[in-house]
Each structure stands twice: as C-alpha cells, then as structure tokens.
Amino acid sequence: MKNIWNKIEKSKTTYIALISIVLVFIMPILFNLFHLGRTNRIIWLFFIINVFFAGFIGWFSRKYSLSFYNLVIFPVIFVISVFVKYGRYGYFLAGIYLVLSILIYFLFEKEK
C-alpha cells in the first residue's frame, strides 16, 4: 500500500487532477461564500482562471513529456461539473479549454 501511495504522490497527472477538482468544484463554492455573483464567477473563474489553467496544462504536459491524455483531464472534470450544476454554455467552455491546451502543447515544442 505504501508503494502505491509513493507512486501516486510522484505522479504529475495526480496533481493535474487534484488542481482540476479544486478549480471545478471548490472554487465556485468559495465564490458563493464570498457573495460574488454569477457574472463574476463566469468571468473570473470560467474565462480567466480556467483558461489560464488550460494553457498551463498544455505547457506543463509538454515540459515534463507527459502523455497526451493529460490534456483531457481538466475538460472532462469540467464537463462532469457542468452536467451536474451549470448551464449548457459549459460544454462549449470545456471544448475551448481542450483546444487551448492542445494548441499550447504543440506551441512549446521540446527542444532537443
């Protein structure tokens, strides 16, 4: 069991998944706790923070030579939250996050 935990702890994919879960599920709750409106949540969280994080995932995956499926983790978690909680516009945002991650991934070619 300890060996499995050490493997998970060293995995960069695990960190991507954990940060994605925090951004998708915890941050909207924090926005509500601080009485920030729906418009602020959409602008700041969905368009600014999540777009930045999607670009970061593309760069991070390229830098550490992670497999291509790491780019899909964040959009899939976002689609799950949209299915449970938000409007249809969220599905389009998940597509935007995925496309941005892929573009950044291929933009930063690993130098040999």
Side-chain angles (χ1 to χ4, degrees):
M1 187 69 172
K2 191 174 184 179
N3 189 22
I4 294 172
W5 178 252
N6 287 337
K7 241 181 177 177
I8 290 172
E9 190 176 25
K10 291 179 184 177
S11 171
K12 290 175 179 47
T13 302
T14 304
Y15 291 116
I16 290 173
L18 289 175
I19 293 171
S20 298
I21 289 170
V22 167
L23 283 177
V24 169
F25 292 110
I26 307 292
M27 288 299 287
I29 293 170
L30 291 177
F31 271 63
N32 286 338
L33 285 177
F34 290 114
H35 302 291
L36 297 172
R38 182 177 182 212
T39 306
N40 283 326
R41 182 186 70 222
I42 292 170
I43 292 171
W44 285 100
L45 187 58
F46 293 166
F47 284 110
I48 296 175
I49 295 171
N50 287 355
V51 166
F52 176 75
F53 183 64
F56 173 76
I57 290 174
W59 172 81
F60 188 78
S61 296
R62 176 56 84 178
K63 181 178 181 191
Y64 291 105
S65 301
L66 301 177
S67 67
F68 197 72
Y69 78 88
N70 285 290
L71 302 177
V72 178
I73 294 171
F74 177 59
V76 166
I77 292 174
F78 187 77
V79 163
I80 292 168
S81 78
V82 166
F83 182 74
V84 172
K85 207 171 190 185
Y86 302 112
R88 289 189 178 174
Y89 61 87
Y91 296 116
F92 298 110
L93 289 173
I96 291 170
Y97 301 152
L98 180 62
V99 168
L100 181 66
S101 294
I102 292 170
L103 288 174
I104 297 293
Y105 182 83
F106 287 116
L107 180 68
F108 288 98
E109 289 288 328
K110 186 128 175 139
E111 295 180 11
K112 295 178 182 176

